[in-house]
Amino acid sequence: MDESSMPSPSVTAPGPPTPPVPLAALLAREELGLRRIAGPADADLLWVHTSEMADPYPYLLGGELLLSAGVLLTDPDRYVARLVEAGAAALGFGVRPVHESVPESLVEACDRHGLPLLEVPPETPFTTIARAVWRLMAEARHRELRRVTRAQQALATAAARPDPVPAVLHQLAAHLDGRAVLLTATGEELHTAGRRPSPEAAAALARLAGLVTRDRPGAPASATDTAGGTHLSAYALGGEVSSASSRDRSDLRTPTRADRPTQGQARDERRTHARDERVTAPQPPPQPQPQPQPQPQPQPQGERLALALATRRREPGDHTVAGIAVVLLSLLTAPHRGTDAAGRSAALVRLLLGASPAEVAPLLGPEGPWTVVHARRTDGTRADALTAGALGASLGSTLVDAGYGEGDAVRVLLQEPHAPAPQPGWTLGAATPTPLPALPTADLRAARALAHAEATRTPLATETPATGLAALVPPDRAAAHARALLAPLTPPLAGTLRCWLSLHGSWDRTAVALAVHRNTVRQRIGRCAELLGMDLNDMDVRTELWFALRQE
């Protein structure tokens, strides 16, 4: 049989799909001498096929540059119509030895049906054209692999930043030249990056996010659509992208021979679906038929999230880049279950109902000691729940409170009996390990340590327990002396005095730690000296006050 075709490199090569070759790139190869004489100028070539059959329709997959010398060309109009119906990208017609020139009727048919027609000169063998197409495809694939590799490296680096979720979205939007949004199932935007799409596209993104996060069997894990010329994609987080149907992702990959249906199926499908529709809208899952009740499946806990993308164009490697981001975001937003969730819920309920910390301690896991850590972003920005969760994961804990106080401090409760390590992008203050009943006191000490770290511009400060001579005084007697000595001071004044003493009387550092003006610090310290009746410039006075303040 005279049918021949070369296999597409995308069939066996790993990595992202091979990008199609623009027709213009092939025409630009001057050594081929090709000339477009009819049809549109734009076309994407997926492979090359040579045939001298009167009707090559049954042997075409779509996207081919069909090469022919017109040996059996008798009805040009029907011939071109069948090529268009089969999805051929372009027709290359070789002159001589059958035809001295391209038949005018063929030129008119290609213009009429919108099929690009190339004139192949006698000195250019068909195999040379095929070799040129494969070379262009190899070059395009190499460029795409380099682009995907650079994107992967950038995304991995962003995932290691202190604010990993926004950083990953920013890199994703930059590499895809579009908009990246992290959405809840209800369409609420948690984080965004890139230029804002049109209202129509934004609404469509929200709909896609709801589609892929449906919490029921059969819901797709990825979907694509278009809105006003904008390409839209949505992916459910949680490692389920691989379960997306091939129809949901048909526009994001190059078709292979394994995808080819039987001849009868292909003919019916070509009649019902236009081959030039490169993007397909997601279809709703089929309605279940009456059948025996299946066993209940475990449902995922928590609200599912979706990654939504809006781009002006769609490249073959974009799905690979998006898949990398989906994996990273799934890891960054997934709950890190160190302690049993049911145990934490039971502990919270018992606390709300009046139980003491000592009574609920066994539900939280190890008995202790526990370490309280206060943290604040070094750049002063507020930490959201996802960023705070990433910090907790870095510290090895799931017990994180991201909404503490007006100063935007994050609180983390560690089950490790040692101080945490410094974290890039964060300023940390840690209390010394303590048993669970003493956690309220440890919380105050961690807050003081954070203030000290910010004032001294150190990444981590640890509140140390009393040692040396101070440890020789019985705690009850030391506490009684402290209460008597500091009785004239209000809590704000005592806190200012303690911070000022811890920073060796520095007005500027105390002002930074307390987030007030240095004149306010001076006024408060002067008021403390007046109420206590002491000279705060005296080192003995400072030592005694510091000992008393440490007993709080």
Side-chain angles (χ1 to χ4, degrees), residues 351-374:
L351 284 173
L352 294 175
L353 295 179
S356 66
E359 293 173 332
V360 303
L363 298 175
L364 296 178
E367 296 182 358
W370 295 76
T371 300
V372 181
V373 177
H374 283 217

Side-chain angles (χ1 to χ4, degrees), residues 425-516:
W426 292 89
T427 301
L428 307 180
T432 54
T434 182
L436 191 139
L439 285 182
T441 302
D443 185 47
L444 293 176
R445 295 184 182 277
R448 294 168 181 169
L450 176 59
H452 188 274
E454 291 179 322
T456 57
R457 292 179 172 83
T458 57
L460 172 64
T462 302
E463 179 75 8
T464 58
T467 57
L469 294 176
L472 299 178
V473 182
D476 55 342
R477 296 182 61 181
H481 173 71
R483 287 194 298 271
L485 181 62
L486 302 175
L489 302 183
T490 62
L493 290 178
T496 301
L497 178 60
R498 188 186 189 287
C499 183
W500 181 71
L501 291 174
S502 70
L503 296 171
H504 310 290
S506 171
W507 307 109
D508 292 331
R509 289 185 175 182
T510 305
V512 171
L514 299 177
V516 297

Side-chain angles (χ1 to χ4, degrees), residues 250-272:
S250 62
D251 59 298
L252 297 176
R253 61 188 179 92
T254 302
T256 66
R257 289 186 177 273
D259 300 321
R260 182 179 178 179
T262 62
Q263 190 176 44
Q265 292 172 338
R267 187 176 297 109
D268 293 339
E269 186 171 351
R270 289 183 185 121
R271 289 178 180 146
T272 54

Side-chain angles (χ1 to χ4, degrees), residues 2-361:
D2 62 348
E3 296 294 327
S4 63
S5 63
M6 296 182 66
S8 168
S10 64
V11 176
T12 58
T18 300
V21 174
L23 179 60
L26 184 63
L27 294 174
R29 304 294 292 262
E30 297 181 357
E31 70 276 9
L32 299 178
L34 302 179
R35 186 168 64 95
R36 183 180 63 85
I37 58 177
D42 296 328
D44 290 331
L45 311 179
L46 298 179
W47 34 56
V48 178
H49 191 66
T50 301
S51 175
E52 295 300 342
M53 297 185 67
D55 183 12
Y57 173 94
Y59 300 94
L60 299 182
L61 297 176
E64 296 93 347
L65 168 61
L66 181 65
L67 299 176
S68 175
V71 175
L72 299 179
L73 182 65
T74 57
D75 187 349
D77 188 77
R78 184 179 183 279
Y79 181 79
V80 174
R82 292 287 283 173
L83 294 183
V84 172
E85 185 180 358
L91 172 63
F93 194 87
V95 296
R96 297 180 191 167
V98 181
H99 298 270
E100 292 298 324
S101 63
V102 180
E104 187 64 29
S105 57
L106 182 62
V107 176
E108 295 174 355
C110 287
D111 277 330
R112 185 163 49 251
H113 292 282
L115 180 69
L117 176 61
L118 310 183
E119 182 186 64
V120 182
E123 62 273 12
T124 302
F126 285 176
T127 54
T128 303
I129 299 175
R131 189 178 297 112
V133 171
W134 308 135
R135 185 177 295 111
L136 290 171
M137 294 182 72
E139 294 173 355
R141 179 172 178 78
H142 182 62
R143 289 193 300 269
E144 197 68 8
L145 284 173
R146 286 191 300 176
R147 185 176 76 92
V148 170
T149 300
R150 288 194 298 267
Q152 181 179 7
Q153 294 172 346
L155 291 172
T157 302
R161 291 189 52 181
D163 50 349
V165 174
V168 169
L169 290 177
H170 174 76
Q171 289 296 330
L172 182 61
H175 281 82
L176 298 186
D177 190 23
R179 178 82 162 180
V181 188
L182 186 63
L183 296 164
T184 65
T186 59
E188 177 187 358
E189 294 186 358
L190 299 180
H191 287 284
T192 62
R195 59 176 178 273
R196 183 173 296 277
S198 65
E200 178 188 3
L205 277 182
R207 289 194 299 270
L208 284 181
L211 175 66
V212 300
T213 53
R214 285 175 181 168
D215 192 11
R216 59 189 178 91
S222 68
T224 61
D225 201 354
T226 56
T230 301
H231 298 280
L232 309 176
S233 304
Y235 305 83
L237 301 188
E240 299 177 356
V241 173
S242 60
S243 66
S245 65
S246 60
R247 182 169 182 81
D248 290 328
R249 295 183 294 171
S250 62
D251 59 298
L252 297 176
R253 61 188 179 92
T254 302
T256 66
R257 289 186 177 273
D259 300 321
R260 182 179 178 179
T262 62
Q263 190 176 44
Q265 292 172 338
R267 187 176 297 109
D268 293 339
E269 186 171 351
R270 289 183 185 121
R271 289 178 180 146
T272 54
H273 299 286
R275 280 301 188 94
D276 59 345
E277 293 181 355
R278 304 291 294 166
V279 179
T280 59
Q283 302 297 320
Q287 296 297 324
Q289 300 297 324
Q291 56 184 352
Q293 183 67 25
Q295 294 295 326
Q297 299 295 323
Q299 300 297 329
Q301 298 180 355
E303 186 177 22
R304 300 182 67 187
L305 302 179
L307 170 65
L309 303 173
T311 57
R312 295 179 180 176
R313 61 183 181 275
R314 178 170 289 142
E315 302 295 341
D318 288 354
H319 182 65
T320 303
V321 175
I324 297 170
V326 168
V327 173
L328 293 174
L329 291 173
S330 297
L331 295 174
L332 294 172
T333 59
H336 300 270
R337 293 180 175 85
T339 305
D340 182 70
R344 293 199 300 269
S345 299
L348 176 60
V349 170
R350 294 188 186 186
L351 284 173
L352 294 175
L353 295 179
S356 66
E359 293 173 332
V360 303

